[in-house]
Amino acid sequence: IYKALVHLENVEDAKVPTIAFTPTIDKKTYIQHILDIQRHIIEGDLYETNYCMEWKANTVLDPIGVYIY
């Protein structure tokens, strides 16, 4: 990787594809999760949360291009 970075003449030479991400849960499930969290807040079960959801992309990446970009 180091040699490839050293010999890369121009940042524009790095190839970074457009990546389409898709969520791993559907909108209905997401909304249900948010409603469940709101209910727990109202009931006093929690006062703070960090809700995260996973996204996926099917692609092959050039690690040097991603690093430079």
Side-chain angles (χ1 to χ4, degrees), residues 35-47:
L35 293 172
D36 291 343
I37 290 169
Q38 289 175 334
R39 182 177 47 78
H40 283 289
I41 291 171
I42 290 168
E43 292 175 358
D45 297 332
L46 57 90
Y47 63 93

Side-chain angles (χ1 to χ4, degrees), residues 43-66:
E43 292 175 358
D45 297 332
L46 57 90
Y47 63 93
E48 180 178 353
T49 190
N50 182 8
Y51 178 75
C52 301
M53 58 187 264
E54 181 181 22
W55 292 71
K56 290 187 177 185
N58 291 324
T59 189
V60 176
L61 294 176
D62 168 26
I64 295 169
V66 173

